[in-house]
Amino acid sequence: MCAVGETYIRAIQRVGGTPVVLPPTTMEADWEVLVARLDGLLFSGGGDIDPQLYGEESEPWMGQVDAERDFAELGLMRQWLATERPLLAICRGHQVLNVALGGTLYQDITAHIPNALDHAYVATQPMETIAHSVTLTLESRLAAILGGTTFDVNSAHHQAVKTPGDRLVVTGHAPDGVIEAVEIPGHPFCISVQWHPEAMVKASPTMWPLFEAFVQASGG
Ligand code: MN
C-alpha cells in the first residue's frame, strides 16, 4: 500500500544509520553488486505478493500484485539471506521473507481466520495508531532487543503468514493468533515483523531499540 515512505528513512537516520533507498524494480544484474556493498537490508511495506509464488491460486480478496517488485525482492532476499548479514523485514517485507523461504500466506485474514481482529489500515487514522497488542516469545531476539514480551502495535495488513518458511521461528502473535513476528534463530540479525515499527518511532520510543539494534548489527 505504500512506496518506500519517509518514515523508514527517518527511523534509520534517527539511530545514526545512513539510509540508501533501492528501486522497487531492482535488476537481477544488480543484486550481486548490492549484496556485496550494503551493510544491512530493510525490506519495507507494500502490496500483496502474487500467490502463485507460494503455490496458490489467487482468491477474490487479493489486492493488486506487482510482478516486477515480487521478482526483484524475492531474488534480492534470497541472495541476501545467503550472506547471513543483518536483515530487518517489515509488513510486506515480512511476507517476502516468508515466501522466499518457502512459506505461505493467508490471502486475507478476515476471509480465513474466524473472529480475527481488524488488522487493516484505517485511512482516517494516523499510521502510528495502536491497533492491537503482540505477545513475543520470551526467548526471541526481538523480546531481548525491545526489553519485554508484550507491546501495543499498529497494523496495516490484510494478509499474514500461514505456514512459516524454512528456518523461520514464529516469535510473536496478535491476541487472535495472527502471526506478527518471525526470526531466524542463530542468524546474526534476522528480525521480521508484520506491524510498522518505523511509523511508531516518532510518537513513541518503544520501537527505537529495534532500529538501534539493526543499525548497530550493520556496523553503523
Ligand atoms: Mn496486525
Side-chain angles (χ1 to χ4, degrees):
M1 84 170 219
C2 52
V4 176
E6 189 189 350
T7 48
Y8 295 94
I9 296 164
R10 295 279 178 232
I12 295 297
Q13 286 175 329
R14 181 182 288 269
V15 296
T18 304
V20 177
V21 179
L22 304 181
T25 54
T26 308
M27 307 290 282
E28 191 171 3
D30 294 334
W31 295 345
E32 223 171 296
V33 177
L34 292 167
V35 164
R37 293 183 185 197
L38 298 171
D39 297 320
L41 202 45
L42 187 164
F43 281 80
S44 65
D48 294 349
I49 300 166
D50 188 342
Q52 286 186 36
L53 295 167
Y54 48 91
E56 290 191 8
E57 291 301 315
S58 189
E59 297 171 357
W61 30 77
M62 269 291 302
Q64 282 250 313
V65 297
D66 180 341
E68 264 192 307
R69 186 173 176 188
D70 286 348
F71 179 76
E73 292 189 342
L74 282 166
L76 189 57
M77 178 68 87
R78 291 191 176 109
Q79 288 207 8
W80 188 256
L81 284 167
T83 69
E84 299 271 309
R85 291 215 298 281
L87 170 67
L88 177 57
I90 293 175
C91 198
R92 170 187 161 90
H94 164 80
Q95 298 172 0
V96 170
L97 170 65
N98 189 49
V99 171
L101 291 171
T104 62
L105 304 175
Y106 287 112
Q107 290 185 39
D108 186 76
I109 291 170
T110 44
H112 289 281
I113 304 174
N115 307 314
L117 296 165
D118 189 1
H119 290 263
Y121 173 60
V122 181
T124 52
Q125 294 180 346
M127 189 67 176
E128 68 266 25
T129 305
I130 298 304
H132 59 74
S133 64
V134 289
T135 301
L136 306 175
T137 57
L138 190 58
E139 62 276 17
S140 65
R141 183 85 182 267
L142 186 54
I145 288 168
L146 294 178
T149 54
T150 306
F151 294 92
D152 288 334
V153 299
N154 52 2
S155 194
H157 58 112
H158 81 111
Q159 301 196 330
V161 168
K162 182 162 63 179
T163 312
D166 295 339
R167 302 176 68 201
L168 293 178
V169 167
V170 176
T171 53
H173 289 95
D176 56 7
V178 166
I179 293 172
E180 290 273 341
V182 299
E183 52 191 71
I184 297 179
H187 188 291
F189 192 103
C190 176
I191 292 183
S192 181
V193 296
Q194 183 62 75
W195 68 93
H196 281 274
E198 83 290 350
M200 295 171 65
V201 296
K202 197 175 174 186
S204 152
T206 320
M207 294 294 149
W208 290 3
L210 176 56
F211 291 97
E212 284 165 355
F214 172 60
V215 168
Q216 196 172 34
S218 304

